[in-house]
Amino acid sequence: MSKSISSQRTSVRYRSRLLQPEADRHPDTHPLTWRLRDDGEVIWLDEYLRKDGYQSVRAALDNGNPQAIIATMKDANVRGRGGAGFSAGLKWSLTLQGGNMPRGYLICNADEMEPGTFKDRLLMEQQPHLLIEGMILGALANNSFYGYIFLRGEYVEAARVLNRALDEAREAGWLGADINGSGFDFDIAVHTGAGRYICGEETALINSLEGKRANPRAKPPFPGQSGAWGKPSVVNNVETLCNVPAVILKGADWYQALSGDRTDDGGSKLYGVSGPVEKPGLWELPMGTTGAEILERAGGMRANRSLKAWLPGGASTGFLLPEHLDLPLDFDTVGKEGSRLGTGLLTVVPQEQSMVALMRNLEEFFARESCGWCTPCRDGLPWTVKLLRALELGQGETGDIELLDKLAADCGPGLTFCAHAPGAAMPLQTALKHFRQEFEQGVGKPRGKAHPDPIPVGEV
Amino acid sequence: MMATTPQTHQIIGTDGFELHPADETAMLEEMAHYEQPQAACIEALKVVQRRHGWVPDGAIGAIAKVLGIGPASVEGVATFYSLIFRQPVGRHVVLVCDSSSCFLSGFDELKQALASHLGIDYGQTTEDGRFTLLPVCCLGACDGAPALMIDNDTYGPVSPDDLPGLLEGYP
Amino acid sequence: MATIHVDGQRYTVNGAHNLLQACLSLGLDIPYFCWHPAMGSVGACRQCAVKQYKDKDDDKGMVVMSCMTPAADQTRIDIDDEEAKAFRASVVEWLMINHPHDCPVCEEGGHCHLQDMTVMTGHDRRRYRFRKRTRRNQYLGPFIAHEMNRCITCYRCVRFYNDYAGGTDLGAFGARDNVYFGRYEEGILESPFAGNLTEVCPTGVFTDQSHSERYTRKWDLQFAPGICHQCSMGCNISPGERYGELRRIENRYHGEVNGYFLCDRGRFGYGYVNRADRPRLPECRESSDSEPVTLEVDTALARISDALRHSRRVIGIGSPRASLESNHQLQALVGMEHFSTGIETREQACLDLMNHLQRHAGLPTPTLRDIEDHDAVLVLGEDPVQSAGRLGLSLRQAALARREALGETIGVPAWNAEALKTLAQDRYHPLFIAWPTATDLDDVAAARYALAPDDIARLGFAVAHRIDPAAPPAEGLSEGMADAAEAIAAALMEAERPLVVSGGSLGSEPVLEAAGNVARALSRRAKRGGMALIRREANSTGLSLMGGQPLDWALEELTNGHADALVVLENDLYQRLPRNTVDAALAQAEICVVLDHQRTATAKRAKFLLSAASFAEADGTLVNLEGRAQRFFQVYDPGYMRPESRIHESWRWLHAMAVNLQGERAGDITLDTVIAACVEAHPELGGMEEAAPASHYRIDGLQLAREPHRYSGRTSMRANQNVSEPRVPQDPDSAFAYSMEGYSGYHQPRQQVPFAWAPGWNSPQAWNKFTDEVGGHLRGGDPGVRLICPVPGQGHYSRPPQRAGDSPGLRALILPRLFGGEETSSLAMPIQKRTQTPSVTLSTDDAEHLSVRGGDTVTILGETLSVVQQDGWPNGWIGLPAGLFAGLLPGEPVTLDNSAGGAP
Ligand SMILES: Cc1cc2nc3c(=O)[nH]c(=O)nc-3n(C[C@H](O)[C@H](O)[C@H](O)COP(=O)(O)O)c2cc1C
Ligand code: SF4
Ligand code: FES
């Protein structure tokens, strides 16, 4: 009996995995994943060192020129993998350094909570030292004296792995005072979160790190001017930082060439698919790989299902249609189609799925995860949820769809305090554009009065 | 004469709550990781939660005292984050991912099966105090959708049929 | 200065402002919620959206939040842009989703910023058809009522309470559309500035509970420009009256003094005005044990003059809580050589010394606004939040202002509030406090030194000596004190604008002299600093400028039989000297006339009690601790609602007495005449006549209205007494009319604004319409005239006093208390409820000697109190709460009886 329980428990236990066999991955083409093992075991320090680990840190420390790191990163144009696609090198070049500036922080954004996104988990659970190495390079470039990995609380396994890897690195002299005899000091701590999607927004993340409510901060000043505790701080996504070692070791040209002539954006990317496909999963592929290719790797839609729409990179990106499958998935191309590359992990929507119900689910997420700071997001999104629920039940009223249009438009970029609400607006706007008749079907009534129910006293 | 380092002087109620000495030590250690004591706030709440399952009212004042910050900012933090529980929960907390990939991959059936199996809805605790059911943001296990977490363990894909066996592992 | 283009018009604005502030300063309306002129921008509410264009050729533009956009040169925006307007309409619509729409029963209604902004954006139709969320409310103490359903989540309350005023018990809880603003648990709001929440909150979440019991809409209240009488700060207030009762006090904007904020003593301490037991008619008591009988005015005056005429010598005792005019009129009645200030000798010496130092210590006295611009502060022997409420709030701002200095280094503008907070973290401008026990500013202080009064003085002398070696040193400092002096001196010298704060709370001249030395040393080292000296009462400064003998002298004259008659002006002598002393003197007085608005212990001993007007029923002038003469005006005529009452300004009574005494028929005087006579008698008060316009002042040929345009019910107010409508009272003393007829606009610059109102702006935010730039000065100039000016010249250093040998026994160290530490406000119910259970403080050593422990109860002068045993508290001193032991003087020996409770 107890045996069957434990086997039951392990049989459905979730494990992060890459769907590319070791044999298909090479140092020159798969900088993020070539070290990963087929058995999915963690690459601890010994193995990491055996597989060229910490070579780029060594090189950078020997070189002793932090500005060179920034220059290479700028040339390579590693665009942020957290979703916004901002050049990491450019960001680093804007960090205040020198003069009276205190040394600041390098913060790794490991809060991965964007619905449909499961890439950073893999990197942290199986290859912690790549992230640590990337962070040391980032620290060198940005003159950071301390690093934090802001890890979402639910990533228990990643926390365990990272902490052990940090100990290993510290013991081996890759972290702490006088790294590898270079005179450079830097150490890293794992900070685990306590829930809430908004913690992934970089300035909210800093507030959360400081032990405050995770309301975002106004920009300017940017974190690079005044970040954690008012010191110059750099926030980068896990995947972004994991790209750094190879870029520094092999150069910007090599990195740019990785994507071939698919796109202007260089490098490789962890792409993935989830939803009703045969083999949901994760692959490291050249930047600019098309949706069709990725979907094919996932074995296509599940039997009897056909593709209705897809989100290219998480819940906060806009819906694309099957006709967009042949576009190279890079930041600019997807942007031109009214969506965003986001995290590059596709969510597929099957034909029979009601878009109204899906939108209701998405907006419930965004409304629930609003930090409550600015009005459009805090009070506008719950209204969209209620309208969508009404439409889903066929209780929509005339004017509801126009109201949704307006609400989505009013949550657009610049109108809200941070990018959370625009993230909620984009799927809604694209869904209304591509599938309007589905929403219209939910309008069953003329405009009516306000809700007649007595109002219950809510919980404080 | 005494030169004092400024501190909050307000009388903070701790409602008879006693902080375990080991927990206080853990909080003080955590404070050392950051420039300002406030930064240890979330971890301090988690420390209390690990011991009590949730954060009782009196703990707010107690944590404020240890960190030397105002009680309102501790409560502000405690009520902001979804994984800090300001109400008692069961021995095991079941977090069901309700985000898009799971929604597209059988979340509804799973949630319904869970609710009927346990006889509770979100925010409720089974009568025997064993399970509390809560929704959670995308667990980052979308290739294993629908996914859920019980305490520190992530499962996915989970079918309704898996549930009885799965839950039995958490007495 | 910057040139910006708004809706196609060119304007010149202050380039250091954000666009919202700049546009409001131009008189252009942009709706807003989260921004506050004193608290800066955070960009949360999104209500202030406008369209911004990159340049002349940009015709698309982008919607931006005006509060978060700098008013940089050549900025182009449209307020009147369709897209921006539509967005602003959306924002209000969202804010109103969960708002209960309970305006008819909401106490904010009629002066509600949310109402104003809803109207301004044109939102008048509800489209949201789902359920509203509802909330539970909290008990927050006697001052403030809580109604969370009305909240629109602008975050202003917590930003004021925590970031601005340093509170720690109010917070924002929860997230998404479920953010709750309240205490972390139910209970009294701890901040002494909590009352400002009623004005900071743009809607009715936090409302004035003292008003609630006798609620009246703003438009139905009658106002006059008032000056708070509850401490020496002289904050400007806007008291509102209805039916012969004061119903609330709101802040009256003053660009140099109180700005937008008051302390809770000032806001909620007015209840004594409404007390039912107030004398409303002249009274006479035949003998000390008989009940008083009321008299008609003529009879009273006749009998008093008769009595005074037959007395050998009449002593007049003035009062630091009465106006200059009343004190002057008393002097005029009895003659200067028979006039006492009514202030005890030591306090008077301190007051004289403070006036002297203000003139001769070499540093000017800053206004509160100016205090906030000082970058290092030494507080010697004061607990400013407790002794001068509002001043403490400004000292906090001075410490916090380091944020702005740091912001400048990386280009963060001063209005970007959250960014500055993050940048600065816990870095403050240095603030040092020498005070024996915890103060409300400790959390932003670099250090606090718990010292005995003599040592506080010695520390000050030592600091001065380190700044300027020519200043005499303090001998025999302990190592700790020497280090402290070194650190303080270094910080003050490093600052651009060091500030010294001291005052009379400890009743110690050496402490003041030490503060004077520091000031002088700084000025000799060419520091552009300031010095602020805290007095005890509303007119302590004014009265000490007028002069007069101390109270002890007056009582002696009576006790010794050098005088047999006494006229006491608004002064409870028992508050100032020991009971025996006062009793002995009063026993000798054949005639004792008391003018007061409260039944004080002294009033109860009076043969004749004249029903004096309180600040709400009188005009007069006070001089605040800056030396600023400020005029307050009668809010209402007490005879209007109570025709049977005979309440008059003390100066009017005293004038009538004088006229009667000379056997003339009583011709009345007016305020203008008293002021003129006062200035003539006291050239040192020259300028006080300029404190406010005289009674003939008119704007556009009109008097100034005391009542808002929409004032209703005047014709029926007295219908229960008399069906015929009484004539509106006429005011011979001021330019204000007791009606809505008169000027109440904002176009014409004016200093004296009874209530702030402008079309579309009913809430306190309307002050924005009266200022030269928002958060700046009143366009007509900030009211008041400085009477004390620094005199050029080097001045002399004071020498530290000889060290007195340790005296055996305990000496009283009286700790000022904001609540309960002041005579009249202590008579107000909410203040009484807010007053903490008093305790006595002892050092650990002394407690041991006396075999008492913390928590024990002891009896002192008949009061039973519990003991607080405190590390660091100076030996030989016993800390006693102000206001509890009437007549006990600072530094006096105190014996303590611990038999009452004993050790547990
Ligand atoms: C609501 C919201 C949530 C976000 N969540 C994440 C996240 O979980 N992980 C992440 O790396 N970036 C997230 N971002 C993006 C970050 O703000 C930021 O752009 C990113 O961490 C920068 O790193 P990069 O330049 O390396 O991508 C989020 C942004 C928003 C607006
Ligand atoms: S858009 Fe506004 S309310 Fe929403 S998460 Fe960002 S700051 Fe918070
Ligand atoms: S006033 Fe500008 S966003 Fe609130």
Side-chain angles (χ1 to χ4, degrees), chain C residues 346-680:
Chain C
R346 273 251 304 289
E347 186 182 351
Q348 181 151 328
C350 286
L351 288 170
D352 291 341
L353 179 55
M354 286 191 264
N355 292 346
H356 172 81
L357 291 173
Q358 249 174 299
R359 292 195 175 105
H360 300 287
L363 292 186
T365 302
T367 63
L368 283 191
R369 172 191 286 270
D370 199 20
I371 279 181
E372 299 177 4
D373 280 340
H374 285 70
D375 55 354
V377 183
L378 169 62
V379 179
L380 267 187
E382 277 290 346
D383 180 356
V385 170
Q386 298 298 324
S387 59
R390 181 64 184 78
L391 183 122
L393 191 58
S394 283
L395 288 178
R396 177 175 290 279
Q397 306 319 308
L400 293 179
R402 174 95 190 276
R403 293 172 176 181
E404 288 162 35
L406 289 166
E408 255 172 48
T409 62
I410 62 161
V412 181
W415 44 261
N416 195 344
E418 284 289 326
L420 290 182
K421 196 172 120 190
T422 335
L423 179 63
Q425 297 285 326
D426 58 356
R427 291 183 285 174
Y428 308 111
H429 279 148
L431 165 63
F432 301 94
I433 305 171
W435 185 251
T437 186
T439 81
D440 295 83
L441 294 172
D442 287 3
D443 62 319
V444 289
R448 180 175 58 76
Y449 306 101
L451 296 172
D454 308 342
D455 283 335
I456 291 176
R458 282 150 42 75
L459 178 68
F461 283 112
V463 169
H465 176 66
R466 277 166 176 75
I467 293 170
D468 177 9
E475 302 298 337
L477 290 184
S478 71
E479 205 176 305
M481 273 175 70
D483 290 349
E486 198 62 53
I488 298 169
L492 295 180
M493 281 306 288
E494 208 172 294
E496 297 258 322
R497 302 195 61 199
L499 174 70
V500 189
V501 179
S502 189
S505 287
L506 293 173
S508 160
E509 285 176 84
V511 165
L512 289 164
E513 274 163 351
N517 273 16
V518 177
R520 189 164 291 128
L522 287 169
S523 82
R524 288 204 188 165
R525 298 288 301 270
K527 278 287 163 191
R528 210 163 57 85
M531 179 179 60
L533 299 172
I534 297 169
R535 279 74 158 183
R536 185 164 135 199
E537 284 155 289
N539 205 15
S540 296
T541 314
L543 185 54
S544 60
L545 287 176
M546 271 187 145
Q549 299 289 337
L551 179 60
D552 318 48
W553 166 87
L555 298 186
E556 262 168 43
E557 293 294 284
L558 287 161
T559 318
N560 298 341
H562 297 157
D564 57 351
L566 179 64
V567 180
V568 183
L569 166 68
E570 299 178 32
N571 197 339
D572 181 10
L573 312 183
Y574 290 99
Q575 296 285 331
R576 300 181 189 274
L577 281 173
R579 170 160 291 275
N580 298 342
T581 320
V582 180
D583 278 345
L586 292 186
Q588 295 298 314
E590 295 285 324
I591 307 291
C592 173
V593 184
V594 171
L595 300 95
D596 213 328
H597 43 83
Q598 301 299 320
R599 291 195 186 277
T600 63
T602 307
K604 286 179 187 147
R605 298 286 309 264
K607 174 143 184 158
F608 295 100
L609 173 61
L610 293 179
S611 38
S614 70
F615 75 89
E617 303 123 343
D619 307 302
T621 310
L622 303 176
V623 183
N624 78 350
L625 59 79
E626 293 169 61
R628 178 188 297 269
Q630 302 193 100
R631 190 105 68 240
F632 58 95
F633 291 96
Q634 199 174 32
V635 183
Y636 59 99
D637 175 356
Y640 187 69
M641 284 308 296
R642 293 193 180 82
E644 73 290 352
S645 71
R646 297 288 179 267
I647 289 178
H648 296 293
E649 302 88 339
S650 291
W651 50 261
R652 208 164 232 125
W653 278 121
L654 289 162
H655 168 79
M657 277 165 67
V659 172
N660 248 276
L661 205 55
Q662 284 146 25
E664 293 167 20
R665 300 244 27 100
D668 199 11
I669 50 157
T670 63
L671 182 68
D672 291 342
T673 344
V674 193
I675 291 174
C678 183
V679 173
E680 200 184 309

Side-chain angles (χ1 to χ4, degrees), chain A residues 79-86 88 91 109-114 119-120 197-203 219 235-238 240-241 418-420:
Chain A
R79 298 185 66 172
R81 304 296 199 247
F86 192 78
K91 189 191 283 188
N109 190 341
D111 200 53
E112 193 163 72
M113 251 186 259
E114 174 83 14
K119 63 184 179 71
D120 299 341
Y197 170 64
I198 193 61
C199 294
E201 197 284 334
E202 57 178 354
T203 56
K219 297 186 271 193
V235 182
N236 275 121
N237 171 258
V238 174
T240 314
L241 289 165
C418 84
H420 177 82

